[in-house]
C-alpha cells in the first residue's frame, strides 16, 4: 500500500493491482462506482479523485466499467482518458473475461447453463456453473458475456432464481432465507494490459460478510 492510498486502507478498500496506467480496486458493497441519474456526490470515483487533487497529483482516475452499488468486487480505473478508452474497448469487444460469485435461490438451475434473454431490447447473455447447493440456495460462478446494466440480477430473477439479498428486482417473499447484503461479488477479471500487452489475471477474495453467511448456512 503506497502512501498515496492509505485512506483506501482505512475505508477497507483493497488495492488488487496498480501500475503506471491502471488501478484495480476491490469495491465494497454499498458504494457507488459513479453517480446515477440522482447525481449522488459520494462515489468511489469522486472519493479517489478528491484525494488525488488534495495531494496535487496531476492525473485523474477514470472508471473503465462499473458495478452496482450493492455488488462488491473488482473495478478497473485508468490513469488518464486514453488508457480508459482502450480498456473500455476491450469490454465492448467482449475481450474481458469476467467471473462473479453469486448465491441464488435454487429454483430450476442446471448444473451449468446459459441465460440468453434481451434486456431493454438489447441482446444479453449470461453463463453460469453451480458450485454447490445448500438447503435454500445455490452457490454459482457466473460469467456475463455481455455487460448490460444489472444483467446478472435481471437474468436470474427471470429464471426464478433471484440473487439472495436483491431488493431491486426481487421481493422478500421470493426468499426463504434472509441476508444483510446482495450476494453478488465480481471475483475475477482477465484482460490484456493496454500498454504492456501482458495478460492480467486479477482476483478479489470473497468478502467477509458473504463468507460469514456461508459459514452459518
Amino acid at each position: 500500500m503506497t502512501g498515496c492510498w492509505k485512506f483506501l486502507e482505512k475505508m477497507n478498500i483493497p488495492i488488487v493491482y496498480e501500475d503506471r496506467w491502471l488501478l484495480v480496486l476491490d469495491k465494497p458493497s454499498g458504494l457507488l462506482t459513479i453517480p446515477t441519474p440522482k447525481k449522488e456526490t459520494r462515489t468511489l470515483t469522486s472519493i479517489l479523485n478528491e484525494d488525488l487533487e488534495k495531494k496535487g497529483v496531476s492525473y485523474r482516475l477514470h472508471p473503465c466499467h462499473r458495478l452496482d452499488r450493492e455488488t462488491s468486487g473488482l473495478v478497473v480505473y485508468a490513469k488518464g482518458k486514453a488508457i480508459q478508452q482502450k480498456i473500455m474497448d476491450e469490454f465492448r469487444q467482449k475481450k474481458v473475461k469476467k467471473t462473479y460469485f453469486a448465491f441464488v435461490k435454487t429454483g430450476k438451475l442446471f448444473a451449468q447453463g446459459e441465460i440468453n434473454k434481451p434486456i431493454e431490447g438489447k441482446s444479453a447473455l449470461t453463463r453460469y456453473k453451480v458450485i454447490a447447493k445448500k438447503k435454500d440456495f445455490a452457490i454459482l460462478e457466473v460469467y456475463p458475456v455481455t455487460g448490460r446494466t444489472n444483467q446478472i440480477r435481471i437474468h436470474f430473477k427471470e429464471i426464478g432464481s433471484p440473487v439472495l439479498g436483491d431488493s431491486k428486482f426481487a421481493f422478500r417473499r421470493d426468499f426463504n432465507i434472509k441476508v444483510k447484503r446482495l450476494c453478488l461479488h465480481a471475483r475475477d477479471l482477465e484482460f490484456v494490459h493496454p500498454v504492456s500487452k501482458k495478460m492480467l489475471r486479477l482476483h478479489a477474495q470473497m468478502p467477509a460478510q458473504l463468507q460469514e453467511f456461508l459459514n452459518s448456512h
Side-chain angles (χ1 to χ4, degrees):
M1 180 76 65
T2 63
C4 186
W5 299 118
K6 283 186 177 179
F7 83 101
L8 288 174
E9 188 173 36
K10 292 178 182 178
M11 294 180 65
N12 195 27
I13 303 176
I15 292 176
V16 177
Y17 177 85
E18 185 177 16
D19 62 21
R20 288 171 55 194
W21 304 279
L22 300 175
L23 176 71
V24 183
L25 303 174
D26 183 357
K27 184 187 82 69
S29 175
L31 182 63
L32 284 166
T33 310
I34 59 175
T36 70
K38 295 180 182 179
K39 299 181 180 180
E40 295 90 346
T41 56
R42 187 169 174 79
T43 66
L44 179 55
T45 302
S46 68
I47 291 168
L48 289 167
N49 284 321
E50 283 170 12
D51 188 70
L52 288 175
E53 189 172 0
K54 287 177 184 177
K55 290 178 170 59
V57 177
S58 59
Y59 66 84
R60 290 294 173 264
L61 288 163
H62 305 277
C64 301
H65 60 120
R66 68 177 183 179
L67 294 179
D68 300 340
R69 184 200 299 264
E70 297 89 354
T71 303
S72 58
L74 296 172
V75 179
V76 181
Y77 280 89
K79 297 178 180 181
K81 297 288 285 185
I83 298 297
Q84 180 196 35
Q85 190 60 53
K86 290 180 179 180
I87 297 291
M88 290 177 71
D89 286 344
E90 289 197 49
F91 273 98
R92 279 192 288 266
Q93 295 166 20
K94 302 180 179 63
K95 293 181 178 179
V96 180
K97 182 179 178 182
K98 300 167 283 186
T99 303
Y100 284 70
F101 201 73
F103 305 158
V104 306
K105 183 178 178 180
T106 305
K108 298 179 180 179
L109 296 168
F110 299 104
Q112 59 184 26
E114 64 178 41
I115 307 165
N116 192 352
K117 293 176 178 287
I119 295 175
E120 295 185 351
K122 297 180 179 179
S123 62
L125 176 61
T126 303
R127 297 192 174 106
Y128 69 87
K129 179 169 66 175
V130 177
I131 303 302
K133 285 190 176 182
K134 301 286 188 175
K135 180 183 177 182
D136 295 307
F137 66 98
I139 303 168
L140 309 183
E141 279 186 349
V142 182
Y143 321 103
V145 179
T146 52
R148 308 302 176 201
T149 302
N150 300 312
Q151 177 175 311
I152 294 173
R153 297 165 72 175
I154 292 170
H155 269 174
F156 281 96
K157 169 59 177 175
E158 287 185 348
I159 66 168
S161 294
V163 179
L164 299 192
D166 194 348
S167 58
K168 185 174 183 178
F169 299 99
F171 303 96
R172 288 188 179 180
R173 64 174 180 270
D174 291 326
F175 305 106
N176 296 324
I177 192 167
K178 292 182 180 180
V179 63
K180 294 180 179 179
R181 58 154 286 184
L182 181 72
C183 294
L184 185 61
H185 178 63
R187 191 188 69 185
D188 298 289
L189 285 175
E190 292 186 21
F191 60 94
V192 175
H193 193 289
V195 179
S196 71
K197 303 303 179 185
K198 293 181 179 179
M199 178 63 74
L200 293 182
R201 294 180 174 89
L202 306 173
H203 176 79
Q205 297 289 340
M206 188 189 302
Q209 273 188 315
L210 296 188
Q211 187 62 61
E212 289 166 7
F213 173 80
L214 199 55
N215 292 344
S216 62
H217 293 81

